[in-house]
Amino acid sequence: MTSLLDRADRPAHAGVPAPALRRGAARVLTDNWTGASTVPSRTLYPHQWSWDSAFVAIGLRHLSARRAQRELESLFAAQWADGRIPHIVFNPAVPEDAYFPSPDFWRSSRAGRAAGAPAAPETSGIVQPPVHALAAWLVHRADPDLSRRHRFLDRAYPRLTAWHDYLLTRRDLGGGGLAAVVHPWEPGTDNSPCWDRALGRVDPAPPDTFRRADLDHGHPRDRPTDLDYGRYVRLAADYRAAGYDDRAARPAFAVEDPCFNALLAVGEHALAATARALGRADAPHTARADALTRNLVDRLWDAEAGLFRVRDLRTGDLVDERGVTGLVPLLLPHLPARVVHALRTTLAGPGFAAPATRLVPSYDLTGPAFDPQRYWRGPAWFNTAWLIHRGLRTHGADADAERLRQGFLTEAGRSGFAEYVDPVTGEARGARHFSWTAALTLDLLR
């Protein structure tokens, strides 16, 4: 690690010099390491989060491939018997009241027993976007010899195939070959305006039945409203009451999200590569990836809007909101050329060309629900910028990708590795010293 951090690289962008940026990012990941995994933030998010750990592993591979392996393995150890990878793995050393919903709310080992929840550790009962197969493949590629010595892919592959099997069977609630999400926390873009219509049908839990711990460390102006939080609690409690059984549950919130399914398709491409490395058949994964791509275009593409939409499975309608989730499918290598062209045009247009940063806002700047500070209702996030950068590179848009990379590195350094930034002013918002921002900085510096 020392030689990497001390290497005298030329500055990679107009901001903090690359060596200093690298050292700062490595320090964030060191400070947020618990001994087995990395917390997103020591204050606001004191446990292990699912897609956070996948992004963290992608960055950690540049510092320590073995620690990147351990990051993913600690998450896989909490996988349920039905294949789901839970969105939070709770650290028993952290006080119960440090985060809500706490382990005592989810009660995974009891309420989720029939669905295959492990006896320990305690976890949440919902999921997050499936970035894990891509992360595992990139971690393997960082040091293939080390990976083979530790049989990393041999152990990860069955975990990842079970995870994808769960999403493609238990979660195909619309019958169209896409995975559905049953809680706004599952697609990772928690309070996006894309969920407002579906969430509006949910009766919120009474405010006196829970206490929000997030407001102890986050400014209320940045966080979801109390009304939305009450609805989140209601949905989670109803899912818990159904034993987290997707066959028995009748979720009031069920949508098909383009980002979630694009990551699932990219994960299938990664599993195809993994299968080949292990001497196994790759055709089933390639077929799945191709089918997911076709289904995304058939079910969620809106040519007039120039991006993918969310589909509300309770009404069957596409949601008339333009969020960053509709741009992330640019990741897919076999998109029709017309779709790639339209997505690039949308990215460069007034809705997503932020005035103060080259990052991508989480919601259309001209949209009726745009809010530059409140969580996923407008702020620009670093993980979605990384995904879109990868998509641009996939389709040969190297100049656009480089502009986004430069903007990412500039904002990461200027903001102190913030959770996200205000796209209008560039002001750092949310938590500072945020793990996936630091990890993905390391990746883009390479």
Side-chain angles (χ1 to χ4, degrees):
M1 184 183 297
T2 302
S3 61
L4 174 65
L5 297 182
D6 290 346
R7 197 175 66 194
D9 292 359
R10 290 175 298 168
H13 56 96
V16 179
L21 193 58
R22 181 176 289 105
R23 284 192 293 271
R27 174 54 56 193
V28 170
L29 296 180
T30 298
D31 290 346
N32 288 348
W33 173 248
T34 68
S37 64
T38 307
V39 297
S41 160
R42 282 287 179 183
T43 55
L44 195 54
Y45 307 102
H47 300 283
Q48 182 179 21
W49 262 257
S50 172
W51 75 326
D52 292 73
S53 274
F55 287 125
V56 165
I58 288 168
L60 276 176
R61 69 194 170 114
H62 301 298
L63 301 179
S64 167
R66 181 59 188 141
R67 192 175 132 191
Q69 293 173 16
R70 290 173 64 193
E71 183 76 35
L72 292 172
E73 289 166 342
S74 66
L75 186 63
F76 297 157
Q79 187 172 20
W80 291 27
D82 65 4
R84 87 183 72 190
I85 294 177
H87 100 293
I88 301 175
V89 181
F90 290 106
N91 182 350
V94 174
E96 282 273 345
D97 61 358
Y99 182 81
F100 179 84
S102 63
D104 189 54
F105 173 88
W106 294 102
R107 306 171 206 160
S108 63
S109 62
R110 290 169 286 158
R113 188 179 300 124
E122 293 291 331
T123 74
S124 66
I126 59 174
V127 301
Q128 276 191 322
V131 196
H132 314 87
L134 173 62
W137 177 245
L138 293 176
V139 167
H140 164 76
R141 289 290 303 275
D143 192 335
D145 290 339
L146 178 74
S147 176
R148 284 189 283 269
R149 284 200 304 274
H150 288 276
R151 301 184 69 248
F152 172 66
L153 286 186
D154 298 84
R155 290 179 289 111
Y157 180 73
R159 298 279 194 173
L160 292 165
T161 53
W163 166 222
H164 286 203
D165 286 347
Y166 166 78
L167 293 174
L168 287 165
T169 55
R170 304 286 184 94
R171 287 300 191 89
D172 185 8
L173 303 182
L178 296 179
V181 293
V182 299
H183 194 290
W185 289 336
E186 291 198 317
T189 52
D190 301 21
N191 65 325
S192 167
C194 295
W195 321 133
D196 286 356
R197 183 194 301 174
L199 199 59
R201 296 192 296 266
V202 178
D203 292 328
D208 59 352
T209 61
F210 63 92
R211 178 188 172 276
R212 294 180 61 175
D214 62 316
L215 298 182
D216 293 342
H217 305 289
H219 195 285
R221 185 71 182 82
D222 290 355
R223 305 294 298 165
T225 65
D226 286 343
L227 177 60
D228 281 346
Y229 220 91
R231 288 168 170 153
Y232 304 154
V233 172
R234 172 70 70 189
L235 285 169
D238 288 350
Y239 197 31
R240 180 190 64 203
Y244 302 113
D245 183 345
D246 296 296
R247 291 166 179 160
R250 295 293 181 267
F253 178 98
V255 304
E256 291 171 346
D257 173 54
C259 173
F260 193 101
N261 282 281
L263 289 170
L264 183 55
V266 168
E268 285 294 330
H269 283 298
L271 285 181
T274 300
R276 289 192 293 272
L278 295 173
R280 305 186 188 191
D282 64 350
H285 298 297
T286 300
R288 275 183 166 183
D290 290 344
L292 280 161
T293 300
R294 288 193 305 272
N295 295 336
L296 263 166
V297 174
D298 290 346
R299 290 181 62 79
L300 304 185
W301 175 246
D302 184 338
E304 184 176 348
L307 80 177
F308 289 85
R309 299 281 198 187
V310 168
R311 184 175 294 276
D312 184 342
L313 293 178
R314 288 294 160 260
T315 66
D317 298 330
L318 294 180
V319 175
D320 189 21
E321 296 286 3
R322 290 158 50 92
V324 70
T325 186
L327 299 170
V328 173
L330 191 62
L331 276 168
L332 297 170
H334 301 141
L335 280 180
R338 59 182 170 82
V339 174
V340 173
H341 175 75
L343 288 171
R344 291 184 60 191
T345 300
T346 300
L347 272 168
F352 291 95
T357 168
R358 282 169 283 181
L359 300 180
V360 183
S362 51
Y363 178 73
D364 185 345
L365 294 162
T366 66
F370 174 73
D371 185 328
Q373 295 181 16
R374 195 177 297 280
Y375 220 39
W376 287 96
R377 303 183 76 84
W381 289 71
F382 291 90
N383 64 326
T384 50
W386 184 87
L387 292 170
I388 291 169
H389 169 269
R390 191 173 182 87
L392 290 167
R393 290 290 302 273
T394 295
H395 293 286
D398 291 346
D400 290 345
E402 179 59 18
R403 281 192 292 272
L404 184 54
R405 187 185 80 94
Q406 294 281 349
F408 182 114
L409 296 175
T410 296
E411 298 304 329
R414 185 164 63 186
S415 69
F417 305 102
E419 189 176 1
Y420 49 86
V421 298
D422 183 320
V424 176
T425 67
E427 181 183 4
R429 308 299 301 185
R432 306 300 191 273
H433 309 295
F434 199 70
S435 289
W436 77 27
T437 303
L440 297 176
T441 295
L442 289 172
D443 190 63
L444 291 186
L445 282 170
R446 293 282 286 183

